[in-house]
């Protein structure tokens, strides 16, 4: 994929904070999000993150000077919805990126016009980047599938279909929330192996899942599959994604139709969408374990093999209530590389999802599935990190965790860095566990 | 549930066709739908079916006289979206029903004002009744679960969780289409038991599933379960629903996360939503096989036991291309009673779905799961009717079927009838299979 001047690592912005070492949002990134002034109940607006600021795109449309293609892209988001821009496909988005890069660069003649369109990120509230129509969660993390499988089937951890079918299932869109939204511990049915019948009560094995989210740009018509070679044109951008999971509800409910209430009580998405354009310098060859079969032709292309993977570094951090009260920062408990973890590329997911004719729509979300690295300390879930709850994680203040407790704040981080490229990041993706709701008419176990 | 005067079987309408024997849409029904003039690309409008006519509610709002509550309900649908009315909950909907019943009844002083607001159904196009946010498919048909389970596990057909957990999984909303929309045979991966690897090509075991659809009215907030005793207040109405299924794609893909592409290539919904109010005379006690355990308290209420089931008769019909060419009508191939088939009530599904905190939104759809009666000829799928494809169905023209062939039109019917009540029906829910799309770059098996 060609690297255009918007990626030039020497490029600096007149927004000073965008030039700071370690910022997630240098001028090379320019992710999209939905914001409003904090505490206001006003309508959501579309913005672009730059350093510690948000550029209000509706204001920028009015104050700046834009070429026709960029202006059309700006017009599309004037209603506060990102989906019209998503629906336009990659070309107007690239034009807008080029125009914003130019306008926000050091020395731009638009500085005085656009400076009033910047708001401090500390003063805005962010939400899910768009109304998500359908959400599909995949299972691309082969090390995750293997290590979870090993907990159940030590001799045969990976099911026979795994290396042929991009395994996925439909998830719940309504309960996807943006970083910062509390996550209430779910109630649910669980059944101990030796119990005669199930009981109903708060989940005791509440877990996270370290995932990427892929947001769909332009859709496809029902009945018209997207060939793998065109699939990248249907991707808008990437987020972090935490598919919170109740590991004790899941085994009792999931046969024969898959996980349901163990997953749908909440999922957390990072509110800034890093576009496919921003990720262009961080593409990588598809890596697969030796002996993996060749993909079937409908899932195979030269491009997806050569550069279909995304070189995104990811981390999980934890801060307990006691740590927070003691003023201790969150600690890193795991981390993995998406390129090492994922058996399928995003383009392969698009091709597979549509191969039977299913239609994708702008703003649909794909979860990557849990991205665990090959080493045990690179696992993307507590289930794996603690060997199914048997090996607690020791925290610096003397506490330990198998699964999440009330008051725990679990955060995901993601960033890209490579020699010759400016580091970009995804911003926060965190949630704090709040206690289960107790109903009077319920039988608590 | 009290039966109000809108159900009086003696009530007649000044719309003559609504009084015809056998109409699905007498004045006692009054289902909601979205329509536009056939062939026009104009905006969708909300209407109510009455006999062979549609009452345009936006026109009726302007031409008729309405009490304040009914007028507010009419105002809510003026934008052509049913969800604002759904969101209002049952009270305004009941007020609108009473007002429409009064206005359309024989002798109404509103006849002259409203007659111009009627369009012939033959001249309109119908679509899905609302933009469906999230769609969940349940598995409430215990005879279906048992007979499908028997195909795989003759000695232990029903899994241990079935009688405790209302089994469900998330489905694909984008590919739900209204009756009449063609269904393209999906391509997909299949693997023969003795094959070394899978192949990709058109499904050869394309099936239907006889289901009811429950549309959600008012929603609930994330983290706030709906108690089973309040769950009926969150139901808007009922449709027919055909969850087309590719039985050869399903077994290869569905472990461990459930059915995916075997289901998401298309689902057909009947476009008229029969409201919970119209169904009030057709409630029935929950029927369960002897020896079934008591539901856990969060799924149990006096009301759901006494009248939680719906006495809806359902049928599957088939017309092949050869039958159509020979002028032969569709033939009934199966039929079942929803009240006999469903192990869980709709209220129990709402209570279970929200029990972990998942939020429902107006316009969300629940599928009942395949509703098969207790006898083999009452099965709700070809998989069951043909014993997994081993016992073909003989058709009157000498053809036979195991699974669906290109050109087949499969239709569902549903109606309610009881002594002392006027029969009401659901209208059509049919789709015709069109051949799979063949891509040049694909490996067809």
């Amino acid at each position: 994929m060609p690297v255009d001047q918007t990626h030039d690592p020497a490029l600096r912005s007149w927004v000073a904070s965008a030039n700071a070492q370690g910022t997630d949002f240098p001028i090379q990134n320019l992710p999209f999000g939905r914001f409003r002034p904090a505490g206001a109940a006003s309508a959501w607006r579309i913005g672009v993150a730059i350093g510690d600021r948000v550029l209000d795109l509706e204001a920028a449309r009015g104050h700046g000077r834009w070429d026709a293609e960029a202006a059309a892209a700006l017009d599309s988001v004037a209603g506060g919805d990102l989906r019209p821009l998503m629906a336009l496909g990659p070309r107007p988005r690239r034009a807008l990126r080029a125009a914003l890069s130019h306008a926000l660069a050091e020395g731009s003649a638009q500085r005085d016009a656009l400076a009033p369109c910047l708001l401090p990120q500390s003063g805005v509230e962010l939400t899910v980047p768009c109304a998500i129509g359908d959400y599909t969660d995949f299972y691309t993390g082969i090390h995750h599938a293997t290590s979870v499988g090993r907990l159940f089937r030590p001799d045969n951890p990976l099911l026979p279909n795994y290396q042929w079918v991009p395994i996925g299932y439909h998830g719940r869109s309504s309960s996807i929330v943006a970083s910062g939204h509390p996550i209430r511990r779910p109630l649910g049915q669980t059944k101990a192996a030796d119990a005669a019948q199930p009981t109903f009560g708060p989940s005791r094995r509440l877990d996270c899942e370290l995932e990427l989210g892929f947001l769909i740009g332009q859709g496809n018509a029902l009945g018209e599959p997207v060939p793998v070679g065109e699939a990248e044109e249907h991707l808008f951008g990437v987020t972090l994604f935490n598919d919170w999971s109740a590991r004790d509800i899941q085994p009792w409910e999931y046969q024969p139709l898959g996980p349901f209430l163990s997953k749908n009580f909440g999922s957390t998405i990072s509110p800034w969408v890093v576009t496919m354009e921003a990720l262009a310098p961080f593409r990588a060859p598809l890596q697969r374990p030796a002996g993996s079969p060749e993909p079937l032709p409908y899932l195979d292309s030269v491009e997806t093999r050569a550069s279909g993977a995304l070189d995104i570094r990811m981390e999980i951090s934890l801060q307990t209530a006691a740590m927070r009260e003691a003023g201790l920062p969150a600690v890193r408990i795991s981390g993995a590389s998406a390129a090492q973890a994922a058996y399928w590329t995003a383009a392969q997911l698009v091709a597979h999802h549509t191969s039977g004719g299913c239609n994708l729509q702008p703003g649909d979300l794909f979860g990557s599935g849990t991205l665990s690295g090959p080493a045990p300390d690179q696992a993307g879930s507590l289930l794996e990190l603690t060997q199914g709850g048997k090996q607690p994680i020791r925290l610096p203040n003397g506490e330990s965790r198998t699964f999440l407790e009330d008051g725990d704040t679990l955060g995901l981080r993601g960033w890209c860095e490579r020699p010759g490229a400016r580091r970009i990041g995804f911003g926060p993706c965190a949630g704090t566990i709040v206690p289960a709701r107790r109903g009077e008419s319920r039988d608590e176990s």
Side-chain angles (χ1 to χ4, degrees), chain A:
Chain A
M1 196 161 288
V3 173
D4 64 34
Q5 73 226 26
T6 65
H7 302 104
D8 180 352
L11 198 65
R12 292 169 59 86
S13 173
W14 51 262
V15 182
S17 58
N19 306 319
Q21 191 76 19
T23 179
D24 277 351
F25 307 124
I27 191 169
Q28 290 81 1
N29 194 346
L30 304 175
F32 292 96
R34 278 203 299 174
F35 74 95
R36 64 184 179 192
S42 55
W44 299 104
R45 300 163 75 89
I46 305 299
V48 162
I50 175 82
D52 61 7
R53 306 279 137 168
V54 184
L55 179 70
D56 178 334
L57 290 189
E58 191 171 336
R61 171 74 180 95
H63 286 70
R65 294 187 314 278
W66 311 100
D67 63 70
E69 213 164 14
L74 287 169
D75 287 344
S76 74
V77 299
D81 187 349
L82 204 46
R83 288 176 301 177
L85 177 61
M86 292 168 152
L88 293 176
R91 212 186 126 100
R93 191 171 76 229
R94 287 176 193 144
L96 179 56
R97 174 180 170 82
L100 290 172
S101 176
H102 194 72
L104 292 167
E106 259 181 7
S108 163
Q110 300 223 58
R111 176 177 181 157
D112 289 350
L114 293 183
C117 308
L118 292 170
L119 295 87
Q121 284 176 30
S122 59
V124 305
E125 179 186 0
L126 297 163
T127 185
V128 289
C130 62
I132 295 163
D134 279 296
Y135 149 51
T136 300
D137 203 24
F138 283 94
Y139 199 51
T140 69
I142 188 169
H143 306 296
H144 169 72
T146 305
S147 60
V148 170
R150 191 174 290 126
L151 294 174
F152 296 100
R153 298 174 303 275
D155 297 332
N156 181 27
L158 211 55
L159 291 171
N161 58 5
Y162 188 86
Q163 292 176 304
W164 296 98
V165 183
I167 298 294
Y169 67 115
H170 300 113
R172 182 81 195 176
S173 295
S174 70
S175 54
I176 299 173
V177 295
S179 179
H181 195 289
I183 297 294
R184 190 178 290 280
R185 179 181 300 275
L187 301 163
Q189 276 195 44
T190 57
K191 184 179 162 300
D194 56 353
Q197 63 174 68
T199 54
F200 184 83
S203 169
R204 293 203 176 85
R205 288 164 72 92
L206 185 53
D207 199 355
C208 62
E209 291 196 326
L210 174 66
E211 301 197 17
L212 292 176
F214 303 110
L215 281 159
I216 298 300
Q218 57 185 338
N220 63 297
L222 183 60
E224 300 295 332
V226 177
V228 64
E230 297 168 21
E232 288 264 351
E233 304 288 296
H234 294 262
L235 294 168
F236 179 82
V238 181
T239 68
L240 303 174
F241 190 70
N242 183 352
D243 184 28
W244 306 93
S245 298
R247 301 295 183 195
D248 42 358
I249 296 173
Q250 191 170 343
W252 174 235
E253 74 166 2
Y254 92 109
Q255 289 287 11
L257 299 179
F260 179 43
L261 301 193
S262 55
K263 299 282 191 171
N264 72 9
F265 57 91
S267 311
T268 300
I269 192 169
S270 58
W272 294 112
V273 189
V274 177
T275 62
M276 298 312 290
E277 288 67 55
L279 291 166
F282 306 103
R283 305 303 295 251
L286 180 56
Q287 299 176 34
R288 287 184 165 178
S292 301
E294 299 293 307
L296 292 182
Y298 81 98
L299 294 173
D300 202 13
S301 75
V302 173
E303 297 74 19
T304 213
R305 287 185 187 223
S307 61
L310 295 166
D311 188 7
I312 299 173
R313 324 284 175 98
M314 305 174 75
E315 276 186 4
I316 306 177
S317 69
L318 180 66
Q319 187 188 45
T320 69
M323 290 166 68
R324 193 162 45 247
E325 282 156 24
L328 296 171
V331 290
R332 177 191 187 283
I333 59 171
S334 184
S337 148
Q340 284 183 0
Y343 189 82
W344 302 101
T345 67
Q348 288 173 321
L349 303 184
V350 168
H352 183 65
H353 205 313
T354 63
S355 65
C358 182
N359 53 330
L360 305 180
Q361 295 179 326
D364 285 350
L365 176 69
F366 291 1
S368 62
T370 307
L371 296 175
S372 299
D377 64 350
Q378 297 172 337
S381 70
L382 295 173
L383 181 71
E384 294 159 83
L385 281 173
T386 67
Q387 294 286 316
K390 294 195 204 92
Q391 301 281 348
I393 297 168
R394 304 291 166 192
L395 300 172
N397 67 341
E399 288 185 286
S400 67
R401 283 292 180 277
T402 49
F403 293 97
L404 295 168
E405 297 191 7
D406 293 346
D408 286 354
T409 299
L410 192 129
L412 309 184
R413 287 179 65 223
W415 72 97
C416 302
E417 56 183 340
R418 271 190 178 177
R422 180 70 154 95
R423 178 193 179 283
I424 62 171
F426 286 77
C429 184
T432 300
I433 308 302
V434 299
R437 187 174 185 282
R438 292 186 170 260
E440 291 162 87
S441 65
R442 296 175 187 285
D443 59 318
E444 309 287 353
S445 62

